[in-house]
């Protein structure tokens, strides 16, 4: 463990690019945690008990015993990741000392992910895979914006001496991006267009904590799914059904 403090972490998550950010971070820090699988297909994240943890009704969310002995709730993946390294990464295994040049650079890329790659690629997934009707403008808009953001990452990694996003090691900036980049093909982006980003994604997968954390709370199957067009189409249709159902339910509240 990267800290002498004894955590009591409960992770509420699902098999999504945002969800696995947190389990990978926890594994990188060798922190003990209890996993609670949240069935987002049944809108479990909108139930009162979950909204008490995250009022926005989204995964991931996390609770812990804070330094004052009281429970603390965390939501939004970037906020959770920052909390975990600030509270527990005293050896700076996946972070840099607060106030250093590198720590601010990590924040740059963390916010780039949470304000750029995640939202844009998420919309690419929606319009390409889950929308009730195909709207070419929506598909093109978000797939192309995802490609543009990938190009930014690819160019940056091409100039990186360490082959990581910041400094000489893997940080939460890298971890935050991995689940989304691993999903490139699902989003209609050809990762072969971005050789440095592709090499980075494959290199990250070789990390034991990434391999273990990506399978929380259920197996990470997207790489295998992309090799089976029929299974991929079936999965997309099933997911589209509950997404559209849940959207209607939300609109009626």
């Amino acid at each position: 463990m990267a800290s002498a403090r004894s955590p009591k972490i409960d992770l509420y998550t699902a098999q999504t690019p945002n969800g696995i950010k947190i389990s990978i971070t926890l594994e990188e820090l060798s922190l003990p945690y209890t996993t609670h699988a949240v069935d987002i297909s049944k809108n479990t994240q909108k139930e009162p008990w979950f909204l008490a943890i995250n009022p926005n009704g989204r995964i991931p969310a996390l609770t812990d015993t804070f330094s004052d002995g009281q429970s603390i709730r965390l939501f939004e993946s970037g906020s959770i990741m920052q909390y975990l390294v600030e509270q527990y990464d005293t050896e700076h295994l996946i972070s840099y000392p607060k106030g250093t040049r590198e720590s601010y650079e990590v924040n740059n890329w963390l916010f780039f992910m949470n304000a750029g790659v995640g939202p844009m690629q998420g919309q690419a997934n929606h319009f390409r895979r889950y929308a009730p009707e195909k709207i070419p403008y929506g598909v093109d808009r978000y797939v192309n914006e995802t490609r543009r953001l990938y190009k930014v990452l690819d160019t940056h990694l091409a100039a990186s001496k360490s082959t990581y996003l910041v400094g000489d090691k893997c940080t939460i900036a890298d971890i935050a991006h991995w689940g989304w980049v691993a999903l490139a093909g699902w989003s209609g982006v050809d990762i072969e267009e971005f050789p440095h980003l592709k090499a980075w994604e494959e290199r990250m997968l070789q990390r034991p904590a990434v391999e273990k954390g990506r399978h929380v709370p259920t197996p990470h199957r997207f790489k295998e799914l992309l090799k089976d067009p029929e299974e991929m189409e079936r999965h997309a249709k099933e997911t589209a059904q509950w997404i559209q159902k849940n959207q209607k339910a939300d609109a009626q509240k």
Side-chain angles (χ1 to χ4, degrees), residues 100-138:
T100 61
R101 180 184 299 273
E102 290 85 358
S103 71
Y104 291 117
E105 185 71 3
V106 167
N107 285 344
N108 287 341
W109 292 107
L110 190 62
F111 280 76
F112 174 85
M113 146 65 4
N114 287 357
V117 176
M120 295 301 102
Q121 193 169 341
Q123 292 299 324
N125 289 344
H126 183 84
F127 280 97
R128 192 166 184 271
R129 299 285 185 185
Y130 311 135
E133 59 180 300
K134 292 298 180 184
I135 304 174
Y137 176 82

Side-chain angles (χ1 to χ4, degrees), residues 72-125:
I72 185 172
R73 69 179 187 183
L74 285 304
F75 53 89
E76 294 297 326
S77 61
S79 174
I80 297 171
M81 296 176 89
Q82 287 183 325
Y83 169 84
L84 290 173
V85 295
E86 287 178 9
Q87 293 294 317
Y88 296 111
D89 193 13
T90 57
E91 298 173 11
H92 302 296
L93 300 176
I94 53 171
S95 64
Y96 290 96
K98 193 172 182 178
T100 61
R101 180 184 299 273
E102 290 85 358
S103 71
Y104 291 117
E105 185 71 3
V106 167
N107 285 344
N108 287 341
W109 292 107
L110 190 62
F111 280 76
F112 174 85
M113 146 65 4
N114 287 357
V117 176
M120 295 301 102
Q121 193 169 341
Q123 292 299 324
N125 289 344

Side-chain angles (χ1 to χ4, degrees), residues 187-240:
S187 309
V189 176
D190 184 0
I191 195 64
E192 299 293 338
E193 295 181 30
F194 312 99
H196 303 285
L197 185 59
K198 179 187 177 185
W200 166 90
E201 188 273 324
E202 293 172 347
R203 196 161 45 249
M204 285 288 292
L205 186 55
Q206 299 306 309
R207 298 179 67 86
V210 174
E211 174 58 26
K212 186 175 181 181
R214 75 185 178 109
H215 295 297
V216 175
T218 56
H220 183 264
R221 298 177 51 241
F222 282 102
K223 286 184 172 293
E224 292 74 16
L225 209 58
L226 291 171
K227 299 174 184 177
D228 187 339
E230 289 187 9
E231 178 65 13
M232 184 166 59
E233 186 63 24
R234 185 191 67 78
H235 179 79
K237 285 182 178 179
E238 287 183 357
T239 305

